[in-house]
């Protein structure tokens, strides 16, 4: 089917670009480690390349999947960026701090016009780019696992969608009435602004938790 072919091509391109970025991290920047709370830095050698590529591709698609309601994805990205700006202040990386600040300002200006009812939309190009940016920021700070916490709502969105796909393929039935999760809430009768506001609140909780974990480690 044409749509499946397009999705497959998109995934292939995403993986190629993600592997290139991950290779730059490993060969040019010397990144080969993970920071795990309680264990410190753990070197995984060349395995960092597929791991970093997986993180990038995952967040690229997670943000894109969350971009289904006005202000949902862009608002959550703003919350995540504020969290990483706080983490970066502890590390005193000026160049990364400037990048996060500029991106944060740009997304906040966009969010003004993207909240319900939206006058401009993120679209695939914007969502995929923002997802990649979040993943790269998480990798640059060395807080990759913290990225999964700060971006917890995105994880919920992509996990619900993935579980739905796997259930339909292997169990021959839907696990949820609708997926991703924001569509399920819409099906339950929640209004769009209510879903977005609640998602932002949950996103703020995850961001605070992620920053806390980063600061105490």
């Amino acid at each position: 089917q044409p749509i499946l072919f397009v999705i497959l091509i998109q995934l292939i391109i995403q993986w190629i670009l993600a592997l290139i970025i991950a290779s730059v991290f490993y060969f040019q920047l010397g990144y080969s480690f993970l920071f795990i709370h309680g264990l410190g830095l753990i070197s995984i050698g060349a395995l960092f390349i597929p791991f970093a590529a997986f993180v990038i591709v995952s967040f690229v698609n997670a943000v894109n999947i969350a971009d289904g309601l006005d202000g949902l994805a862009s608002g959550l990205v703003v919350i995540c960026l504020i969290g990483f700006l706080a983490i970066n202040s502890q590390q005193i990386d000026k160049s990364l701090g400037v990048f996060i600040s500029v991106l944060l300002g740009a997304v906040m200006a966009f969010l003004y016009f993207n909240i319900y009812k939206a006058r401009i939309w993120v679209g695939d190009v914007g969502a995929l780019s923002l997802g990649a940016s979040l993943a790269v920021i998480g990798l640059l700070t060395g807080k990759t696992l913290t990225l999964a916490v700060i971006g917890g709502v995105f994880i919920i969105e992509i996990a619900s969608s993935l579980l739905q796909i796997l259930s339909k393929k292997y169990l021959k039935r839907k696990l949820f009435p609708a997926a991703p999760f924001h569509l399920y809430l819409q099906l339950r009768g929640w209004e769009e602004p209510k879903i977005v506001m609640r998602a932002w609140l949950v996103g703020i909780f995850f961001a605070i938790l992620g920053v806390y974990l980063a600061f105490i480690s």
Side-chain angles (χ1 to χ4, degrees):
Q1 297 179 5
I3 188 170
L4 292 178
F5 178 75
V6 172
I7 293 173
L8 178 61
I9 294 299
Q10 283 183 343
L11 282 173
I12 292 174
I13 294 174
Q14 288 173 15
W15 271 103
I16 291 173
L17 294 175
L19 286 169
I20 292 174
I21 295 171
S23 297
V24 171
F25 268 87
Y26 181 71
F27 292 108
Q28 299 296 323
L29 302 180
Y31 279 70
S32 62
F33 55 86
L34 295 178
F35 185 89
I36 300 178
H37 178 63
L39 299 177
L41 292 177
I42 298 178
S43 177
I44 57 175
L47 289 176
F48 181 84
I49 295 176
F51 171 78
F54 172 76
V55 171
I56 293 170
V57 172
S58 298
F59 261 83
V60 160
N61 289 284
V63 174
N64 195 33
I65 288 172
D67 180 34
L69 301 177
D70 293 345
L72 179 58
S74 52
L76 289 172
V77 168
V78 166
I79 293 168
C80 292
L81 289 174
I82 292 173
F84 275 113
L85 190 61
I87 292 174
N88 184 73
S89 67
Q90 184 188 40
Q91 300 176 333
I92 319 177
D93 187 338
K94 292 184 178 180
S95 57
L96 181 58
V98 170
F99 174 75
I100 296 174
S101 299
V102 171
L103 182 59
L104 176 60
V107 179
M108 289 181 69
F110 170 81
L111 180 60
Y112 180 85
F113 300 98
N114 185 236
I115 56 176
Y116 186 84
K117 291 183 175 183
R119 284 174 280 176
I120 54 176
W121 295 268
V122 179
D124 285 352
V125 174
L128 296 173
S129 301
L130 289 174
S133 298
L134 274 182
V136 169
I137 289 170
L139 292 168
L140 284 172
T141 59
K143 307 289 186 179
T144 312
L145 298 182
T146 301
L147 171 64
V149 178
I150 291 178
V153 178
F154 291 125
I155 299 298
I156 292 172
E157 287 282 280
I158 195 171
S160 62
S161 185
L162 178 61
L163 289 173
Q164 183 81 314
I165 293 172
L166 293 176
S167 179
K168 289 169 66 176
K169 181 175 178 61
Y170 295 106
L171 301 180
K172 307 303 179 184
R173 63 181 179 84
K174 291 184 177 181
L175 185 62
F176 309 107
F181 190 63
H182 68 263
L183 293 183
Y184 169 72
L185 294 177
Q186 273 192 310
L187 188 64
R188 291 290 302 271
W190 285 35
E191 296 179 354
E192 185 171 341
K194 179 179 179 181
I195 297 172
V196 173
M197 293 297 104
R198 299 301 190 277
W200 287 1
L201 288 175
V202 175
I204 291 171
F205 167 78
F206 279 128
I208 293 173
L209 178 61
V211 172
Y212 171 75
L213 292 175
F215 275 24
I216 65 173
S217 56

